[in-house]
Amino acid sequence: MRLFAPPTRVAACLSLFLFLLSPQAHAQDESQPAPLPVFEFHSGFWLNLHHTLYRQARLQRSSSAGANAVAVSAGMNNLTPAEARAWNSALAFYTKTYADKDLTVSLEMILIKNQLGDFETCGDLSGTKKKTCDAGLPAQLTQTLESAAPVYRTHLWPEHDRANRRWISAVAPLVRRNGLDLSHRLAEIYQTPWPRERIRVDVTSFASSTGAYTTLDPLRVTVSAVDARNQGAEALEVLFHEASHGIADVVQDAIFRECRQRDKPIPRDLWHALLFYTTGEVIRPLAANNQNPSATSPGSISPDNNPSSPAPAASSASSLSSGYVPYAVREGLYRRGWENYLRVLTQYWQPYLDGRVDFSDAVAHMVSAL
Ligand SMILES: [Zn+2]
């Protein structure tokens, strides 16, 4: 969830170039026999390694100022001297090259992320073992990832992959039960067709400071399996909020048009507050139907009963028994400068969601009331 910047468009020519190099490996990691609707989940080795190095490089930098020393070394305490050398040199490269870049807006980081996702089934990235596995990444990055790979595979990947798959198992029944209806509803609200292809979701141990983010062209979601904000029924809201980034152009354009016509400055991130509000309101009745967590009526949300699933976070358990609390409320987003947005969304956007006013009138009223 990027809170303070518009979505980034990836340069088409570069994307096309990297797409042509792709081995088209799109493994479905969910164990259910029938494919899930709407989303396609992946737990990929290279992308998880990349995000782990990125996160540790950033933590290491801040730990030199005294913070997060434990988090930096977590899971990496028993390295042999050779492993430690390989890992530290990878961290040094990431600190120098990528730690200052934003995963969610840097074109370079987005292209690397997409490419590592596409090559997830490859044993290497240089194409040495298999020609089609030449990912076309910068040579130093390829070499760094390949030398850090055995260390990651031994010490962290089993745990990360297990957590990713647990998260996928927990969220899959929610997507199966509610995904199509939610996608139709959101497409109708945003007056934009839902993407025809299933949306790729890369599940990772770390997925930016916000716990999830989305990149466009192609539309892809990255979500952290272990972030407390993404657990239980709330995971469904996070997924659909993220996916809504891909169909938000019409509402963004309408807001901008109304502002221009009224000669008003464009309210910063109003469109994003609207996305949060809308997903929360669309999910809320599904969750509210489920006052009894054991109920599994169609259209209701309940966490997976899989015993290997992690226990839902406390907020999830309470939201299921006492009414669903949307993400933006739970995380206090409206209290951090969006108070006015909540007011106009409740007053003018909600009637549109209820079918009482049309899209253009709702947007016009919101903008004129700000
Ligand atoms: Zn967002």
Side-chain angles (χ1 to χ4, degrees):
M1 299 201 181
R2 278 186 301 106
L3 298 184
F4 304 112
T8 305
R9 293 273 172 201
V10 177
C13 55
L14 258 172
S15 289
L16 179 64
F17 171 70
L18 292 173
F19 175 78
L20 290 173
L21 287 170
S22 160
Q24 297 299 291
H26 290 291
Q28 175 70 24
D29 285 314
E30 192 241 324
S31 57
Q32 302 276 359
L36 276 181
V38 186
F39 296 110
E40 174 186 274
F41 294 106
H42 293 248
S43 171
F45 175 81
W46 294 110
L47 181 44
N48 273 268
L49 168 58
H50 169 61
H51 273 193
T52 298
L53 285 169
Y54 172 83
R55 175 170 179 265
Q56 290 204 357
R58 285 172 72 92
L59 286 173
Q60 194 173 60
R61 210 179 37 173
S62 57
S63 78
S64 57
N68 291 317
V70 175
V72 172
S73 58
M76 302 302 263
N77 293 324
N78 304 312
L79 305 189
T80 65
E83 286 176 331
R85 269 196 305 279
W87 192 255
N88 287 335
S89 121
L91 277 181
F93 175 70
Y94 266 69
T95 303
K96 175 171 62 106
T97 316
Y98 300 121
D100 289 325
K101 293 178 177 151
D102 189 325
L103 283 178
T104 68
V105 296
S106 154
L107 177 61
E108 184 183 6
M109 299 307 273
I110 292 168
L111 290 173
I112 291 169
K113 186 255 309 171
N114 286 344
Q115 198 68 347
L116 291 175
D118 286 341
F119 283 74
E120 66 189 1
T121 57
C122 282
D124 69 337
L125 297 169
S126 53
T128 313
K129 293 180 195 154
K130 197 172 164 193
K131 235 181 163 31
T132 52
C133 282
D134 180 356
L137 294 167
Q140 217 181 338
L141 173 60
T142 302
Q143 194 232 315
T144 298
L145 287 169
E146 287 188 353
S147 24
V151 186
Y152 181 63
R153 204 180 287 283
T154 304
H155 294 275
L156 285 177
W157 173 238
E159 181 196 326
H160 287 179
D161 188 39
R162 247 193 322 272
N164 294 345
R165 287 169 191 275
R166 243 192 338 250
W167 188 89
I168 293 168
S169 301
V171 81
L174 304 182
V175 171
R176 195 177 295 287
R177 219 165 19 241
N178 304 284
L180 271 183
D181 286 348
L182 284 169
S183 66
H184 292 154
R185 176 74 179 121
L186 289 167
E188 178 188 57
I189 289 170
Y190 295 122
Q191 308 203 334
T192 305
W194 192 264
R196 284 179 51 200
E197 304 287 327
R198 291 190 300 160
I199 298 167
R200 179 183 175 114
V201 179
D202 285 296
V203 185
T204 54
S205 182
F206 172 75
S208 91
S209 57
T210 54
Y213 68 99
T214 299
T215 54
L216 305 177
D217 298 332
L219 173 61
R220 288 186 178 185
V221 173
T222 307
V223 61
S224 163
V226 294
D227 192 295
R229 293 166 288 190
N230 302 338
Q231 308 304 318
E234 283 82 355
L236 199 63
E237 182 181 353
V238 168
L239 283 173
F240 277 94
H241 168 89
E242 293 303 331
S244 296
H245 275 260
I247 55 166
D249 280 358
V250 169
V251 76
Q252 281 193 68
D253 291 347
I255 291 170
F256 295 173
R257 203 168 41 245
E258 287 296 333
C259 290
R260 272 197 304 274
Q261 278 171 11
R262 289 173 164 75
D263 210 17
K264 284 183 131 180
I266 294 165
R268 184 187 169 91
D269 289 330
L270 171 60
W271 68 271
H272 203 193
L274 183 148
L275 252 58
F276 275 109
Y277 182 89
T278 304
T279 320
E281 290 308 308
V282 167
I283 297 268
R284 192 206 291 269
L286 299 180
N289 285 342
N290 199 340
Q291 293 299 311
N292 171 8
S294 64
T296 53
S297 61
S300 67
I301 294 177
S302 67
D304 183 32
N305 290 327
N306 182 345
S308 67
S309 300
S315 64
S316 167
S318 71
S319 71
L320 283 169
S321 59
S322 62
Y324 187 75
V325 182
Y327 184 98
V329 175
R330 202 167 59 244
E331 297 302 324
L333 302 187
Y334 299 126
R335 293 199 307 268
R336 290 180 228 148
W338 284 4
E339 294 86 353
N340 271 340
Y341 294 171
L342 178 59
R343 178 177 58 81
V344 298
L345 287 164
T346 309
Q347 205 168 344
Y348 300 111
W349 184 248
Q350 184 63 48
Y352 167 63
L353 298 182
D354 294 339
R356 290 186 280 121
V357 299
D358 72 19
F359 178 87
S360 314
D361 284 349
V363 174
H365 281 133
M366 278 194 303
V367 168
S368 69
L370 279 170

